[in-house]
Structures are given as C-alpha cells and as structure tokens.
C-alpha cells in the first residue's frame, strides 16, 4: 500500500463540525487581499470576473437596444451624414468594450481563475497550487489589467472592435495603448496561471492518482493551461508591437511605413483561435464532472474525453487561418485551413458522444447543474456546427463578417463557455460557500436563460445568412423583426441573470447549510467539509476512481451522500495512513 | 541537475527550513520549481518567436532590404558580444555548480563575473545604438541616413520607389506621442493606405532587388531597422533584468545563504541566463551576418 506522506497538518483529529473554515479563517481585509490560499484567490477571481460580466452585460443590452430600430434607437444622427458618423462612433465604442470585457476579462479567466483555483487543488487532495505567491500575482495582474481597461475607457474608449485590426487601430484617436497594455497584463496573468496549474498537476498529484485516474476537469484544466502557456506570449508580443506602432511608429504593421497590416491578423488569430479553446475546454471539463455525477453512472470513454482535450489543444493551433480566408490569404492556404478546421471539430464531437453515452440508461437526476449541462450540450452543438459551416471555405466567403459569425461565436461562447461556467458555479457553490441555493428558482432560471439565449442568437444566424453585416449601428428595415426578437431575447437573459444574482446572494445568508457531498460526486473535493477548512482536508482523503458511485448513498440525516463499506476489489483505493 | 545535490544532515535541515507547507519533500519542491521555470522560459522563447516570425516574413518578401541594410551593422561588435555572452554563460554555469557544492567565495566571484559580462554586453550594444542614432539608421520615418553602407552618399530615389520609400507620417512618434498616448497628430480623416495600384511594399509584390549592392537603396529599409531595434531591444531588456536578478543573488550569496541544502534560486536564474545567451546566438547571425 502506498502511503500519502508528508501531511504536516493532517494530524488534527477529525471534528464532527468544523467551526473554522477558509472563509472565516482570517477576518481582516488584509487576510483576503494578501491571501495565498487558492480557495480565497478563486473567490476573488469569481467576484471580479462577475463584476466584469455585469458591466459587459449592460453594454450588451445597450447594443441590443440600439438595434431595435433600423436607424438606431440610442445613437443616431440628426439627418446629416456627419452627425450619423459622430453618433455611430459611440456604438463602435460600446461593442468594442463589450467584446473586450467579455473575452479578456470574463470568459478567458473565469473558469480557470475562479473554479480552477478553487477546485483543482482540492480535487488533487493537495493543500495548494504549486506556486501560491505566483497565483496571487496572477490575480493582481488580472486586476490591474482590468483597471487599465477602465482607465482607457474613461480617457477615450477604444473603437476598433475586440480584434484591434491594423491599420485602423494605429490611426484611431482612442486610447488603444492603455487598453492594449491592460490586455497584455491580463495575458501574463493567464500565462502564469497556466504554468502554475500545469506544474501543480504534474507534481502535486497524490500517490495513487495516475494520469488516467484524474478527474476529467483536471485534464481539461491541464490542456487549457497548455494553450495558455503556448499561445498567450504570441499575442503578448503582438500587442507590444501594436503599442510600439502607436508610440514610436515602428512600422511593422503600418502599410504607410512599408509594414504589413495582415501580419497583425495572422498574429492575432494565432493566439485568438487557440484562445477560444482556452474558453471552451474548461467548460467541457465541468460538463464531464457533472454528467456522470447526475447520471449516477461511470463516465463513458474516459480516455477519449481526456485525450480529446489534448487533441483540441494541439490541433487548435493549426486552424487560425479560417479567420482570414477572405483577407488576402492564398487560395492554397485557404483550402488547407478549411480542411484543418473540419478536423478540429472531431475531438469536440467525440466528447459530446461520450457524454451522451454516459447519460444513456443512467438514473438522471435533473438538478440545476445537470439542467445547465443539458442546455450546454444543445447550445454548444449548435455553435459547433455553425462553426463547421463557417469553416467550409466557400460558405465563409459569403458569411464572413456577417451576423452569422456573431451568432456562431455567441452560441459557443455564451451557450458553451458561460453556461458551462454557470453549471460549474452551481455545482461547486455548496462547496465554496457551505450553503444551498433554492433549487426550484434555480431550475426555472435555467429554463428562462435557455430560451433567452436561443431567442437572442438564433435570429442572428438567420439575418447573417441573409446578408446583414456585423458591427453596424444601423441596418436595412427588412431585418427589423429578427432584430426585435433578438433584443427581446437579450432582455429575457437580463431577467434570468438578475434572478440568478438574487437567489445566489440570498443563499449566502439564508440558504440551508450544505452537506459535504450534496450531489454524490466521487472526486476528492467532496471528501472535505463544505466549506473546506483552511488546510483543505482534516484527514487525508484516499484516492479512488472519481467516477465510481457504487459506495455512495444518500443519507437523509446529513441531507447528503456518504460512503458505505467499500467493496474490496482490485481497484481498492490507496489508503491514507497518516 | 538534482542528482548533484548531496544532502548531509545539516543541509537536510536547511532544505527543510525552505520547504513550503504544501510540498512533501524538498526534492518535490525543487522539481516543481524547475518545471515551472522551464515553462516560463518556453513562454519567453515564444515571445521572441513572434519577432522571429516577423523577421522571416519581411525577409522573405523584401530580401533586398535585408541584404542592403544588414551591411550597415558591424559584425565584429556583434561577434564580440556573442563571445562575451558565451563567457558569462560559462561563469553562470560555474556559479550554479559552486552553489550546489557550497563554495561560497567562488560562487560570489562567478556571479560578479557574470554581471560584468552582462554590463559589457550592454555597453557595446549601447555604443552601437548610439552610432545608429547618429547615422539616422532608425525605424519608420526616423530612417534618414545620408550615406549608404559603402560610405558613399545615398543616391536620390526617383519614381515609384520614392513614393514608397518616403512615407508620409501617419502616426506621430516619439515621446511626444507617449505623453498624449495617441491623441496628438493622427490623420483620422481617411485611411492612410495607398491605393492598391501603387501599393505599399508590404502588400504589393516586393520590389526587384535591382540596385542593391551600392549607393542605391531599396525601398523600405526602415522596416529592417524596426525589426532590428525590436529584437535587440527586447533582448537587451532581458539582459538588464538578468543583471538585476544576478545582483540580488550576489547579495544573498555574500550573506552566505546558498549551499548544498538550498540553491534553487541560483539554479533557476542560471537557466534564465542560459536562454538569454541562446537568443543572442540566434540574433547575431540573423541580423549581422546577412549574405
Ligand atoms: C467547434 C468547432 C469550431 C469551429 C469549426 C469554428 C469555426 C469558426 C470559423 C470558421 C470562424 C470564422 C468565421 C468568419 O469570421 O468568417 C469562427 C469565428 C469565431 N469563432 Fe469559432 N469555431 C468553433 C468553435 C468555437 C468556439 C468553441 C469558440 C469560443 C468559445 C469560437 C469562437 C469564435 C469567435 C470569437 C469567432 C469570430 C471572431 C471574430 O471574427 O470577431 N468558435 N469560428
Ligand atoms: Cu477560430
């Protein structure tokens, strides 16, 4: 038997109720601001990113309200072309900020930063991530980056679109340098988080947890980190070049100085396509945890799901050209990138089939996290398939820069990443805060959100296919019915999100106390109290198969799942002797 | 690297004293740090790789520019710098060795020598930058040398080439722009891209390298200097950071903090310095030895 050694803090006798947990461990503000505890850092990410999500969401409502009428409801001119131009510039700023906030401050950091930080060391049975100080530095880089984004907005909001295409981003009279510097810092936060998590998974796995006995969320986090480490430096140097362009006139991307503006697009997408997998992979990891738990059935095709994450991470580096099919790329390259884009959809599909197979003949429990996962599967499938439509070269020539693209990436980013995150947040909420939310309201909210998302983005696919270009403040009257539907959808989403904020806040104060294992999950984070103590585990947990639910039964006395006598088989878990 | 660390009882205690609470053994902690450092260095290489890509793209599309402009650089100073960095790489490697074996005086000496190498490198490079500035061998609109690489006055350019080679400033530049962070001096009216029929060389087919070898200069030489300053500037920044960090190691080593039980920082910085050296071994031939 292997021994899980070196636990300096595990000698404390087990106490039935732990009054001290990581939330109450220190009460001063400083104990939060300078904490090295991965759980607290996770909570700080959560709060910051949700705040950013609120701001980005309000901007989205502004966009949708503008598009209620063809000439624009909020920003429109007074008849002359010049006045329209002036007014529409505000619209450009609004959608630019919306995109930047949502991509760089919400979707990229939220799952690794908040849920990854909180759950990953617990799932490993470890006390912390490998480099706790670096972890805190990552958070502050993210925070300072976010503050710089706000500063640039106050000084003169960027109007380039979240893609910062040159040469316009060199010429525009807005504070591109400050914004780009902010994103540069957020990028380094992302790199450091990636390094930290990869090392943690390599070096802090407990004895007995081989690579193929890790929970799938960890595989997802690992693959994500790989992309973060390998792709983010490239966008870092790209943004440095863009800053140099504006500050010094270095000329690399400036056609007037002999530079090549399309080179910027190549660099940008070399990062930003892999970045879409930075966003989606951790969400897929969450789904892989929730589905077996709520199907009460072992995950189907563990190796396929695990390795498809790696496959996505690697192939994702080879498809960036599908964003520049029509921007001056040679026909031969176009064809190659189109082909590779088809290939990258395969591992995603493998995951979906394995999830479905896991649910097949399972005893499905439709609790909130599972409902969100089901809506993830539907929405992500629509998003992924529209992606394949766009990846087909001949179709993209028509659909590029139309609302179809907007519909596509919102289905994957909102329907995929964000819904996946929300599923994870509901799944780990009891663990994070030790409280249960109101299940009924939460389930209704999920349904309303599902309707809202489809109502918002499906019409966008339709108008896009009919030729409505993206990023315009006004449109032809024929599109108005679709635009109205889309806006109503956005309002419905707003209602759902506000409700969610309400019941989650409510649960913090009035929610029922959460048991250690409310859903009957098999991974290690559920072996400790909810919320966990400062040192994560009072007694060292024993490593077993994370998807084996045979010994977990519901105990009404604690209102959660407990282990019964384990059947002695060859997969007998490693027992702790400390 | 780790096999060299002999652990005797007191070293063991030193090692334990530096053990963070979430690691089980000093070895595990050291391995984690090493892996993290390798990953960080990989990201550093990727940071440079963006510039190498830009280099490759422009060299492929504008070979005449690189051939012409490369002659302005002095291979001798580049070579001297390469030798200096190689030597400092050696002293740094020795420093790691001495830290692991607990030879404190030798360790401090080697660290000091490494710093000295870094400073020497920067001094030579600063001299080069200064000369470039004097000769107006700079990026963008600042590029305006009066003599070609062969010492003869640059012949005036006419026709199409003149249009491309003397670009209109679209972005304001220098400290002036930094102060106003982009507000001042921009031509916002319309795109500054030239019509495709005339076309900037970046998007139009490259110029034929007709008059390369002598006083006729090809269009867009400023691009080379843009890339040159970016690459060497980023590298010099890494050298500066390296010198600072090694200085910090030197102070700690004089205080006697490193020995067989605890030397991880020296090892990690040694890895960093190795990579900084290596980047120059790429930059030197790519920039100074273009033929
Ligand atoms: C599963 C397979 C996927 C395929 C085959 C795919 C394919 C594509 C293609 C071909 C485009 C270019 C459309 C154009 O500009 O004309 C595109 C755009 C985009 N996709 Fe995907 N995609 C996939 C998944 C994702 C995921 C998972 C995300 C994010 C979570 C995502 C986010 C985006 C974004 C942000 C854009 C457009 C950005 C812009 O132009 O502003 N995609 N996708
Ligand atoms: Cu893409």
């Amino acid at each position: 038997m292997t021994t899980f050694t070196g636990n300096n803090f595990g000698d404390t006798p087990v106490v039935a109720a732990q009054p001290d947990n990581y939330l109450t461990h220190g009460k001063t503000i400083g104990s939060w601001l300078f904490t090295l505890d991965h759980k607290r850092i996770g909570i700080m990410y959560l709060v910051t990113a949700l705040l950013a999500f609120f701001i980005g969401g309000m901007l989205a409502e502004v966009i949708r309200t503008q598009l209620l009428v063809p000439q624009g409801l909020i920003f429109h001119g007074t008849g002359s072309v010049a006045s329209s131009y002036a007014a529409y510039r505000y619209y450009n700023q609004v959608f630019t900020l919306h995109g930047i906030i949502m991509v760089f401050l919400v979707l990229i950091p939220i799952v690794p930063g908040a849920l990854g930080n909180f759950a990953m060391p617990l799932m490993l049975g470890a006390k912390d991530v490998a480099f706790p100080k670096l972890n805190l530095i990552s958070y502050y880089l993210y925070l300072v980056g976010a503050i710089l984004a706000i500063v640039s907005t106050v000084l003169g909001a960027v109007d380039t679109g979240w893609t910062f295409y040159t040469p316009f981003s060199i010429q525009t009279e807005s504070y591109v340098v400050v914004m780009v510097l902010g994103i540069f810092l957020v990028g380094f936060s992302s790199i450091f988080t990636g390094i930290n998590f990869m090392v943690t998974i390599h070096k802090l796995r407990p004895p007995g947890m081989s690579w193929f006995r890790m929970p799938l969320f960890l595989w997802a986090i690992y693959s994500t980190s790989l992309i973060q480490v390998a792709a983010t430096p490239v966008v870092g140097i790209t943004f440095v070049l863009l800053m140099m362009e504006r500050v010094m006139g270095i000329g690399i991307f400036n056609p007037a100085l002999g530079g090549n503006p399309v080179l910027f697009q190549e660099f940008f997408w070399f990062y930003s396509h892999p970045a879409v997998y930075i966003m989606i992979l951790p969400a897929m990891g969450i789904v892989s945890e929730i589905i077996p738990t709520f199907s009460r059935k072992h995950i189907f095709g563990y190796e396929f799901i695990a390795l498809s994450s790696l496959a996505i991470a690697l192939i994702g580096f080879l498809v960036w050209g599908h964003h520049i099919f029509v921007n001056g790329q040679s026909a031969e390259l176009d064809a190659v990138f189109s082909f590779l884009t088809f290939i990258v959809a395969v591992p995603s599909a493998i995951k979906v089939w394995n999830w479905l197979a896991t649910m097949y003949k399972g005893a499905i429990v439709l609790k909130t996290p599972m409902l969100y996962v089901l809506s993830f599967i539907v929405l992500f499938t629509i998003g992924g398939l529209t992606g394949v439509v766009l990846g087909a070269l001949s179709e993209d020539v028509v659909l590029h820069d139309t609302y179809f693209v907007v519909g596509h990436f919102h289905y994957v980013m909102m329907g995929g990443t964000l819904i996946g995150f929300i599923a994870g947040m509901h799944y780990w909420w009891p663990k994070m805060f030790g409280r249960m939310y109101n299940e009924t309201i939460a389930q209704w909210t999920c349904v309303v959100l599902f309707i809202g998302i489809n109502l918002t983005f499906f019409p966008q696919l339709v108008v896009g296919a009919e030729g409505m270009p993206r990023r315009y403040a006004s449109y032809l009257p024929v599109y108005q019915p679709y635009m109205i539907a889309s806006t109503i959808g956005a309002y419905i989403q707003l209602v759902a999100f506000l409700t969610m904020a309400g019941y989650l806040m409510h649960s913090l104060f009035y929610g029922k106390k959460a048991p250690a294992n409310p859903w009957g999950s098999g991974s290690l984070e559920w072996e400790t109290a909810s919320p966990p103590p400062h040192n994560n585990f009072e007694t060292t947990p024993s490593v077993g198969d994370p998807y084996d639910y045979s010994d977990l039964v519901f105990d009404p006395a604690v209102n959660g799942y407990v282990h019964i006598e384990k059947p002695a088989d060859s997969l007998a878990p490693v027992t702790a002797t400390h | 690297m780790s096999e060299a660390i002999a652990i005797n009882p007191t070293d063991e205690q030193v090692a334990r004293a530096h053990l963070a609470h979430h690691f089980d053994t000093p070895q595990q902690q050291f391995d984690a740090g090493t892996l993290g450092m390798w990953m960080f260095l990989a990201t550093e290489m990727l940071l440079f790789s963006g510039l190498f890509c830009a280099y490759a793209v422009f060299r492929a599309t504008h070979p005449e520019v690189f051939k012409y402009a490369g002659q302005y650089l002095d291979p001798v100073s580049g070579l001297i710098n390469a030798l200096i960095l190689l030597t400092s790489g050696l002293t740094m490697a020795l420093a790691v060795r001495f830290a692991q074996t607990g030879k404190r005086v030798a360790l401090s000496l080697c660290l000091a020598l490494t710093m000295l190498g870094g400073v020497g490198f920067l001094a030579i490079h600063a001299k080069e930058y200064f000369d470039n500035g004097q000769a107006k061998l700079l990026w963008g609109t600042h590029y305006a040398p009066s003599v070609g690489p062969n010492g003869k006055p640059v012949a005036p350019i006419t026709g199409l080439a003149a249009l491309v080679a003397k670009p209109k400033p679209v972005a304001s530049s220098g400290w002036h722009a930094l102060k106003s962070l982009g507000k001042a001096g921009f031509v916002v009216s319309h795109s500054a891209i030239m019509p495709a029929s005339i076309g900037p060389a970046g998007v139009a087919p490259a110029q034929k390298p007709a008059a390369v070898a002598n006083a006729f200069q090809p269009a867009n030489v400023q691009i080379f200097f843009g890339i040159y300053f970016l690459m060497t500037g980023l590298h010099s920044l890494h050298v500066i950071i390296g010198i600072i960090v090694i200085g910090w190691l030197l102070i700690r080593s004089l205080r006697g903090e490193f020995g067989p039980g605890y030397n991880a920082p020296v090892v990690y910085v040694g890895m960093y310095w190795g990579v900084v050296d290596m980047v120059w071994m790429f930059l030197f031939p790519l920039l100074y030895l273009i033929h």
Side-chain angles (χ1 to χ4, degrees):
Chain A
M1 253 193 249
T2 331
T3 320
F4 188 1
T5 50
N7 185 338
N8 306 335
F9 296 84
D11 313 62
T12 344
V14 194
V15 196
Q18 284 107 19
D20 186 42
N21 61 52
Y22 81 99
L23 291 169
T24 55
H25 186 71
K27 295 206 170 52
T28 58
I29 295 197
S31 77
W32 279 91
L33 293 185
F34 304 112
T35 183
L36 297 181
D37 181 352
H38 67 98
K39 302 184 286 307
R40 286 195 166 193
I41 294 176
I43 301 296
M44 297 197 315
Y45 267 109
L46 184 70
V47 173
T48 319
L50 286 178
L51 212 64
F53 178 65
F54 177 75
I55 300 174
M58 292 330 277
L59 290 167
E61 301 297 337
V62 173
I63 296 174
R64 287 312 325 161
T65 307
Q66 161 79 359
L67 296 180
L68 268 176
V69 296
Q71 69 279 15
L73 193 63
I74 303 179
F75 314 112
H76 49 76
T78 48
S80 72
V81 175
S83 72
S84 302
Y85 178 81
Y88 289 163
R89 219 184 134 228
Y90 290 114
Y91 178 79
N92 295 351
Q93 294 175 322
V94 171
F95 77 67
T96 300
L97 287 174
H98 164 71
I100 291 175
I101 291 176
M102 288 305 198
V103 171
F104 294 109
L105 300 183
V106 181
L107 292 181
I108 290 181
I110 200 165
V111 182
L115 302 179
N117 253 318
F118 180 85
M120 183 193 61
L122 290 170
M123 293 176 117
L124 287 171
K127 289 198 205 68
D128 212 318
V129 293
F131 311 118
K133 283 190 200 119
L134 187 65
N135 203 15
L136 187 65
I137 292 174
S138 293
Y139 171 75
Y140 279 110
L141 283 174
Y142 166 58
L143 188 68
V144 173
I147 290 173
L148 281 181
I150 296 173
V151 169
S152 87
T153 305
V154 173
L155 293 176
V158 178
D159 56 355
T160 58
W162 75 283
T163 45
F164 296 102
Y165 275 12
T166 53
F168 182 65
S169 55
I170 307 175
Q171 294 170 295
T172 167
E173 260 192 77
S174 55
Y175 281 72
V176 172
V177 172
V178 182
M179 179 59 95
V180 162
L181 185 65
I183 299 175
F184 182 79
L185 295 182
V186 174
F188 264 85
S189 155
S190 180
I191 291 176
F192 290 146
T193 303
I195 293 179
N196 213 338
F197 285 8
M198 277 175 90
V199 174
T200 306
I201 292 176
H202 268 284
K203 297 295 175 192
L204 291 182
R205 268 176 300 125
M209 189 185 283
S210 59
W211 283 88
F212 286 99
R213 287 180 101 185
M214 283 196 319
L216 287 163
F217 181 64
L218 298 186
W219 272 101
I221 286 282
Y222 185 84
S223 312
T224 308
S225 302
L226 189 70
I227 313 179
Q228 284 176 305
V229 171
T232 320
V234 176
V235 85
I237 193 72
T238 310
F239 282 161
V240 168
L241 289 177
L242 181 55
M243 288 190 266
M244 289 299 181
E245 208 68 74
R246 290 190 65 105
V247 175
M248 293 170 47
I250 200 93
I252 306 287
F253 298 138
N254 189 341
L257 296 176
N260 185 343
V262 180
L263 191 63
F264 176 86
Q265 299 183 15
E266 303 271 0
F267 280 5
F268 180 83
W269 287 113
F270 180 81
Y271 164 75
S272 290
H273 184 85
V276 308
Y277 294 112
I278 296 180
M279 300 179 225
I280 198 69
L281 276 176
M284 290 171 156
I286 293 170
V287 172
S288 304
E289 292 303 316
I290 293 180
I291 285 190
T293 302
F294 289 87
S295 305
R296 311 306 305 144
K297 199 167 152 247
H298 197 284
I299 188 89
F300 183 88
Y302 175 97
E303 285 84 1
F304 283 96
I305 298 185
L307 295 178
S308 64
S309 291
L310 273 187
I312 289 178
L314 299 179
I315 307 173
F317 276 98
L318 305 176
V319 301
W320 79 91
H322 64 215
H323 295 275
I324 31 189
F325 280 151
V326 297
N327 301 15
Q329 193 168 251
S330 73
E332 291 77 15
L333 267 182
D334 274 359
V336 171
F337 276 120
S338 180
F339 174 73
L340 289 169
T341 302
F342 289 162
I343 302 287
V344 78
V346 173
S348 304
I350 289 181
K351 280 185 199 285
V352 173
W353 290 116
N354 281 298
W355 293 330
L356 296 180
T358 305
M359 285 190 278
Y360 180 67
K361 287 197 174 164
I364 295 179
V365 188
L366 278 185
K367 289 274 178 63
T368 312
M370 187 63 178
L371 269 184
Y372 273 111
V373 161
L374 294 181
S375 96
F376 171 97
I377 293 181
V378 175
L379 298 172
F380 177 72
T381 304
I382 300 178
L385 290 179
T386 51
V388 178
V389 169
L390 289 169
L393 183 51
S394 49
E395 284 166 334
D396 190 67
V397 172
V398 179
L399 292 173
H400 178 66
D401 263 347
T402 66
Y403 256 83
F404 192 89
V405 177
V406 179
H408 155 66
F409 68 71
H410 279 91
Y411 263 103
V412 274
M413 290 167 126
M414 262 216 92
T417 308
L418 199 80
I419 292 296
F421 161 74
I422 293 176
M425 185 169 68
H426 281 81
Y427 178 63
W428 280 301
W429 188 267
K431 187 54 67 185
M432 286 195 268
F433 298 106
R435 302 283 185 161
M436 304 300 289
Y437 43 83
N438 183 318
E439 189 62 41
T440 318
I441 301 184
Q443 292 186 10
W444 277 110
T445 308
C446 175
V447 174
V448 174
L449 194 56
F450 180 78
I451 296 170
I453 289 179
N454 281 300
L455 191 56
T456 313
F457 299 120
F458 203 83
Q460 298 186 359
L461 292 175
V462 179
V463 286
E466 289 181 3
M468 176 166 164
R470 63 190 282 203
R471 290 181 172 170
Y472 277 63
S474 60
Y475 54 87
L476 294 179
V478 286
Y479 300 126
Q480 194 174 17
Y482 297 105
M483 289 286 103
I484 291 177
S486 183
T487 303
I488 293 175
Y491 293 157
I492 294 178
Q493 289 188 52
L494 180 63
V495 172
F497 280 120
L498 291 179
T499 315
M500 189 187 303
Y503 71 73
L504 287 179
M505 300 281 244
H506 178 269
S507 82
L508 288 182
F509 302 101
Y510 307 105
K512 273 200 285 217
K513 284 244 180 320
N517 193 350
W519 320 119
S521 322
S523 43
L524 295 184
E525 78 272 30
W526 305 100
E527 303 285 305
T528 185
S530 303
H534 177 65
N535 285 311
N536 289 357
F537 295 95
E538 295 294 339
T539 49
T540 312
S542 56
V543 177
D545 180 346
Y547 302 109
D548 175 17
Y549 305 111
S550 57
D551 65 331
L552 281 161
V553 293
F554 188 77
D555 177 1
V558 295
N559 204 20
Y561 286 76
V562 291
H563 286 284
I564 51 167
E565 206 71 5
K566 289 197 188 216
D569 59 10
S570 56
L571 268 182
V574 181
T575 332
T577 59
H578 205 82
Chain B
M1 253 163 249
S2 43
E3 81 284 356
I5 309 172
I7 304 242
N8 63 49
T10 44
D11 293 336
E12 166 96 39
Q13 283 161 6
V14 176
R16 283 272 154 198
H18 284 96
L19 183 63
H21 84 110
H22 56 291
F23 287 112
D24 295 337
T25 60
Q27 188 63 48
Q28 186 194 25
Q29 171 164 319
F30 179 78
D31 289 350
T34 311
L35 183 62
M37 198 64 199
W38 277 124
M39 286 183 183
F40 173 68
L41 294 175
T43 67
E44 289 281 45
M45 294 304 298
L46 285 163
L47 204 65
F48 277 101
S49 74
L51 294 178
F52 282 111
C53 255
Y55 176 96
V57 167
F58 283 106
R59 183 154 178 188
T61 51
H62 301 46
E64 76 287 1
V65 164
F66 281 71
K67 251 190 157 164
Y68 175 86
Q71 301 169 40
Y72 274 118
L73 300 185
D74 174 15
V76 176
S77 57
L79 181 65
I80 294 177
N81 263 345
L83 293 176
I84 290 181
L85 280 190
L86 272 180
T87 317
S88 80
L90 182 70
T91 53
M92 190 67 217
L94 286 172
V96 172
R97 190 84 205 144
F98 291 136
Q100 287 167 342
T101 49
K103 306 243 163 50
R104 287 190 182 146
V105 179
L107 166 63
S108 304
L109 189 69
C110 278
L111 288 175
L113 283 175
T114 312
M115 280 177 79
L116 194 68
V119 172
F121 173 90
L122 286 179
I124 293 180
H125 215 59
K127 168 84 170 69
E128 277 185 89
Y129 277 179
F130 181 77
D131 292 345
N132 290 333
Q134 292 286 302
K136 293 222 190 277
L137 293 170
L138 298 168
W139 59 88
T141 49
H142 306 282
Y143 174 81
S146 48
V147 289
N150 53 6
K152 298 198 187 114
V154 178
I157 316 165
T158 49
L160 176 81
L163 190 58
V164 187
K166 287 275 176 312
K168 277 212 298 303
V170 284
S172 67
S173 46
W175 293 106
H176 173 62
L178 188 60
K179 257 189 285 162
S180 58
L181 284 170
K183 275 257 164 172
F186 281 96
V187 190
V188 193
S189 55
H190 284 292
S191 164
I193 311 176
M194 284 181 245
S197 51
I198 311 172
V203 286
Q207 309 270 309
K208 279 260 141 48
V212 172
N214 45 52
F216 288 99
Q217 61 171 338
N220 291 321
V221 179
Q222 73 279 1
I223 280 289
F224 174 85
F225 284 97
I227 291 177
Y228 163 79
F229 277 101
L230 281 170
M231 286 182 136
T232 56
L234 186 64
H235 178 257
S236 297
L237 184 69
H238 280 80
V239 175
I240 293 173
I241 293 172
I243 293 174
I244 295 172
V245 179
I246 295 172
W248 167 74
L249 287 184
L250 181 58
I251 296 173
R252 293 182 67 181
S253 122
L254 289 173
R255 284 205 225 114
E257 286 184 30
F258 301 121
Y262 176 67
N263 48 47
V266 187
V267 177
Y268 301 154
V269 174
M271 289 158 61
Y272 170 85
W273 193 253
V275 167
V276 171
D277 283 3
M278 196 184 67
V279 170
W280 185 256
M281 301 311 145
F282 283 104
L283 290 183
F284 167 56
L286 284 180
L287 294 170
Y288 290 80
L289 305 178
I290 302 172
H291 290 304

